[in-house]
Amino acid sequence: MFRKKSKALVAMSIIMSALIMVSGCGASKPAATPTGDAESKEPIKIGFLGAKTGDVAIYGLNTLKGLNMAVEELNKEGVLGRQIQLVEEDNAGQKDQAINITNKLISQDKVVAIVGDPTTGITRVAGTIANSKKTVIMSAGSTGPDVVEIGPYVFRDTLLDTIAAPATMKYVIEEKGWKNVALITSKNNDYSVGLSKIFSKSIVDNGGKVVIEEFIQDKDTDFSGQITKIKAANPDVIVFSGYYTEGALIMKKAREVGIKAVMVGGDGLQGDDLMKIGGADVEGSISYAGFSPEQPTPDTEKFINAFKAKYNNELPDLFAAQGYDALMLIAKAIKEAKSADPEKFKDTLAQTKNYEGVSGTITFQEGREPIKSPVYLLEVKGGKFTLLKKVPVEVK
Amino acid sequence: MKKLLNNWIVQVLLFLSVLALTALSTSIIQDIIPPYLLMIGLFIGINLIMALGLNLITGVTGQLSLGHAAFMSIGAYASAIATVNYDLPFLIGVLIGGLAAGLIGIIIGFPTLRLTGDYLAIATLGFAEIVRVQFTNMKITNGAIGFLGIEGSTTFPIVMTIVVLTICCMVWIENSRNGRAMLAIREDEIASSAVGINTTLYKIQAFAIGSFCAGVGGALFAHTTTFIQPTDFGFLKSVDILSIVVLGGLGSIPGTIIGAIVLTSAPEILRPLANYRMIVYGLLLVVIMIFRPYGLLGGVNLRQAVRRALMIPKKKQAGRGE
Amino acid sequence: MSLLTLNNVTIRFGGLTAVDTVNLEVKQGEILALIGPNGAGKSTMFNLITSIYQPTEGTITLEGKSLVGVATHKIADMGITRTFQTIRLFTELSVLDNVKIGCHCRGKAGLLQALTRLPGMKREEAEIEEKAIKSLEFLDLASKRDEMAKNLSYGEQRRLEIARALVSKPKILLLDEPAAGMNPQEKVVLMEMIRRIRDTGITVFLVEHDMKLVMGISERIAVLDYGKLIAEGTPLEVRSNKAVIEAYLGSGKFKSRIRR
Amino acid sequence: MPILNNLMQQLVNGLALGSIYALIALGYTMVYGIIGMINFAYGEIFMFGAYAGLVLALTNYVNVYVALLGATVITMVLGVVIERVAYKPLRRSSRLSALISAIGVSIFLSSLMVRMKGPNTRGFPKLFENRIFEIGDFQITIYQIVIIGVAGLLMLGLHLFVSYTKMGRAMRACSQDRDAASLMGVNIDRVISVTFAIGSGLAGAAGVLAGIYFNAVQPYMGLLAGLKAFAAAVLGGIGSIPGAMIGGLMIGLTEILGITVNLSQYKDAFAFTILILVLLFKPSGIMGRKANKKV
């Protein structure tokens, strides 16, 4: 009897504390927007697919931040006189949950388009379903192969590495004269593995040499072993194909042991956290992006300012920018097609040319593969990404 | 009548007709219910197949394994290689997935099953990590980039038929000389060997069958998602499957079924909680364990409970979760 | 005729010699008791016979076949089963299942049979069940067959352990302190039971502290002290053996044990 | 001899990494030794410690010692609360129920931290200036010295505490036989609480040290660190304090040496391969007592 009572007490206290915590955290949650607009036209539903929990949550949550910005902005005027309503679901980075969510969003919530997932793997899985159910899906981060090939409803608005990475290596080797390269790959990150392949080919093509190749894993924190070896190999430059968090940590360690070489990487390094974590140690790092923060289009500037205002002075990262653009592109296509029917606006969307998004100027090629032109090479200077070089890209 | 039912051929026919009925009814259901629910049902089925395998290892034989996802991944990759690289039919691929996992289970089992309790747990955990790293670095699996181009051949009727088949096999094993030996090992290893049970043999048998089930589950998973990466089979996947078995009630087949239903649909049911979903999920695990430490159906004799429920004409159902 | 022969058996754990050059024969069809103070090495002897421990020196043979180095689980098949000093039942299983498991070494069905359920397997299952029920009836536990083993009383648990060991029809039954924790009435019943077991042709070898029981049923008694066999003979002989008396009187521990 | 210098440098790297594993492993070993349960939420306590240190360090008024102490105290309380709420009701249940409960706590804590602080990796403010000492051709940073030093001191302190204090004696008694200890007048609840407090405190301290050394704090940092620390505890012989230290150092060194011999992509497999090999040849771990089979 006593034991039962104490158990009940324990459970009560757990539930109570959970409630308190939930209500405490709840304050910061943006209000959902099922607006009772005077037009009383049903809102256009857009699904968000991405991880809000689990170890890839950061990419999903950042995409979502950008997405929410876009919703807010679009709803000031409405799209075709209707409001945009975002249906967010968390797939925790797991494919089975992603499948369930994609089905739910399409068959239950009746969304017309899905934005997400930031990772290539889940996009392929969700893309197959969305395509077969004739719902537009736009990934705001996937860079791997075999995504848009799934079918006419699958899009992405990322900067593809096949163009930007060789241009970057050409610049590094020819203009900077850094021929001896230390190449670091994050072995459990598909983006990094794919990008490293492109990097190592273009290093050789441009007359450079990979003097040492090292591997890390995403979420690693200790790089002392790799850095010690890199120091011994004495490279001119460190090329890292992964994301900004690991990039910053690698550079911290490198500077700690006295390596002077700078880091060069892909658009995965585009994140304010690179400087936040890396501080002075990432000064001089070179990476590429679809936009230049020094010569921002008015839209980009507006976006950055609004983002900072909304999210506690935080700067948007690449995922936030691409998430924002993804929805804006979809909304534009809906407006132009004058229809929220995916079967109709998907064609309008596929014909997008030179759209000036906040993550770059986007053109969808034949087959919906995006091109962002020009590509900007950026250097970290004074804790900011600054323009180094503009590389135009040919649009077929 | 009773005599007829005891005839082996009649029983086989009966069993086959149950399988056929399952396949038939599920393919009708498939067309009626919305795809969202159907997919949840499908994943419940896949998780259940894997959980039944783990139940045999951990629940029946008492060997704590924290590496079930490794066997799942072996089955997934083996079947994918079979159907994609060698153009074998889907069901053969599933069988190959199961056999590959079972075989590796035996190879791993020989040395590690000498360990007991938590030492075995950590060894299986370590093994799973090694497998994951191996798949990340192999050419044929395409590393972190993932294995592409798997046909989406898994269907609801196939999964459900395999589920029924698995449940039947598990019930038969448990009610046989083998199953009793496995239960005895869980209860007391020394007494088991004193009555002549070759403990190593039966542990490996359980491990092999359990791994086979995980491999089959993995194969079905791969042919559902059509694309697999090593990160799909991390430690947390093993934990998911173990949670199903423990939550349902260790060693209880109906418990495992309930566990699979509850835990596979819990993240979906909890979806409205949005950002607090995983927080609540964590709490839920704790609360269920505090109130039902032996699992939802642990220590419930289902046959007795049903009999009691039938004798007293009350609507109360036996052993309902939640 | 000698059934089980221990020849110069010695086992050392580190520096401690638990059993020291013991020579002992267990004869077909007898009731033999092994007595001695706590820590004399009695249970260790049983563990040596059932191959849980391996002797450092010496040989153990059953009908001429060596038991040294034989895997523990094969011992039961060869015809030796046992009970344990601290009861080791399969507590979460039913009484009937406990006894059925005792039949394990007499069964043949493997995984294939379990999954095909051919008539042969069912016949075997039926036989096992029949044997198990008979064994339960023999030990007066038939009415408890569906109870969980953990719910039995202490005396019932002891009997269940014997039933489990008996069901495979061993040549020798090793009983490790079967009367421990029993009340006087239960002990009387137990004595009767042990005799009946012997009457079915099974040799009984027991370790016991209860002198009344030992003297009452044993045909021969062996006395172990500090790992050495100090006496062997009929109850009458042992009772009047000088070495035994010395050990009994000389060791306060042992004396108190006798009275119990 | 550049290779030798490189090796020396790698040994230092391995020692520093190993010290962090060792600190977490200590907590595992203590809890396991006394109540025989795997506290799976341990990695998350480590993570909470790191965040507590971060929050304290960001207040600007705090130096490294205060951050370390504050995080230790916070995680001590956290550990005790977790034990009371999630484990104590399950003390008499099967080991697996407690394990699942611990997994629940672990999911709860990491998801809670994501809600509270976001999923980003956060940098750790410099609590003191880094300095590099050159010894011959290899260098050791002040961070590495502090990590190895603090870890060594905490371990020594713990060893002395368990060996020579009354509470330590009670702990050892509980690890031998909890019921007997209880009959001898040892307050089991208190011993377990103290065990959880000390173990969690160590994990919290390790969290702050890891935050300073790696300069990174992340809500999911606990999982892999916890698994490896658990492996370290088993490797060294679970229940043994010097064992946890040796196990932690061994795993740290193995990882770094794996990188040194050009197998960095297999780094995580290394630790576990060594673990399995050791278990197979010496199942009770390096320093573990051999459990005699009692019949």
Side-chain angles (χ1 to χ4, degrees), chain A residues 145-355:
Chain A
D146 292 327
V147 172
V148 292
E149 284 83 350
I150 292 169
Y153 291 87
V154 184
F155 293 82
R156 57 177 164 190
D157 65 349
T158 33
L159 173 58
L160 293 185
D161 309 313
T162 40
I163 296 155
T168 312
M169 279 306 115
K170 194 170 177 211
Y171 174 83
V172 163
I173 293 167
E174 281 183 3
E175 291 186 34
K176 290 278 186 185
W178 296 331
K179 287 207 163 67
N180 295 326
V181 178
L183 180 63
I184 307 179
T185 309
S186 180
K187 196 72 196 184
N188 62 349
N189 176 336
D190 50 357
Y191 163 76
S192 177
V193 175
L195 182 55
S196 273
K197 278 185 190 156
I198 305 172
F199 271 149
S200 63
K201 186 175 175 294
S202 48
I203 288 167
V204 177
D205 287 350
N206 287 298
K209 190 179 158 211
V210 176
V211 290
I212 182 167
E213 183 164 16
E214 274 303 320
F215 301 96
I216 62 150
Q217 304 219 9
D218 277 11
K219 306 285 176 272
D220 271 1
T221 42
D222 180 66
F223 305 107
S224 54
Q226 289 94 333
I227 292 296
T228 299
K229 280 173 72 187
I230 287 173
K231 193 186 178 199
N234 197 22
D236 301 329
V237 60
I238 296 174
V239 172
F240 173 57
S241 58
Y243 287 137
Y244 47 78
T245 305
E246 284 75 22
L249 294 176
I250 287 172
M251 285 319 287
K252 281 223 90 103
K253 195 73 206 176
R255 292 286 181 266
E256 197 179 301
V257 303
I259 294 177
K260 301 276 189 298
V262 300
M263 174 170 63
V264 174
D267 54 353
L269 294 182
Q270 289 292 318
D272 199 36
D273 274 3
L274 182 71
M275 283 78 80
K276 257 200 206 155
I277 300 170
D281 297 338
V282 296
E283 279 291 297
S285 297
I286 298 173
S287 56
Y288 55 78
F291 68 102
S292 158
E294 268 195 333
Q295 305 174 338
T297 59
D299 280 347
T300 314
E301 202 162 13
K302 214 172 83 190
F303 170 69
I304 293 173
N305 289 336
F307 196 94
K308 276 164 83 175
K310 188 172 161 86
Y311 297 109
N312 222 349
N313 236 2
E314 193 181 315
L315 277 167
D317 76 345
L318 188 73
F319 291 99
Q322 286 170 353
Y324 176 87
D325 277 349
L327 184 53
M328 284 308 196
L329 279 165
I330 292 169
K332 181 170 162 279
I334 291 176
K335 280 182 200 161
E336 280 169 15
K338 298 199 174 59
S339 162
D341 179 2
E343 230 170 303
K344 290 187 183 131
F345 75 78
K346 71 151 199 303
D347 298 324
T348 333
L349 185 58
Q351 276 149 25
T352 305
K353 292 249 166 353
N354 293 322
Y355 171 78

Side-chain angles (χ1 to χ4, degrees), chain B residues 31-55:
Chain B
D31 295 330
I32 306 172
I33 65 170
Y36 173 47
L37 295 179
L38 191 74
M39 265 325 206
I40 297 176
L42 191 129
F43 282 117
I44 289 175
I46 293 178
N47 283 342
L48 179 53
I49 294 167
M50 295 191 289
L52 283 169
L54 186 61
N55 183 47

Side-chain angles (χ1 to χ4, degrees), chain B residues 8 11 177 187-188 196-197, chain C residues 88 92 104 109 116-117 122:
Chain B
W8 188 72
Q11 282 175 346
R177 179 169 168 269
E187 295 292 312
D188 192 323
I197 293 169
Chain C
R88 283 178 174 273
E92 298 281 337
H104 185 88
T116 52
R117 319 229 105 187
K122 281 197 202 132

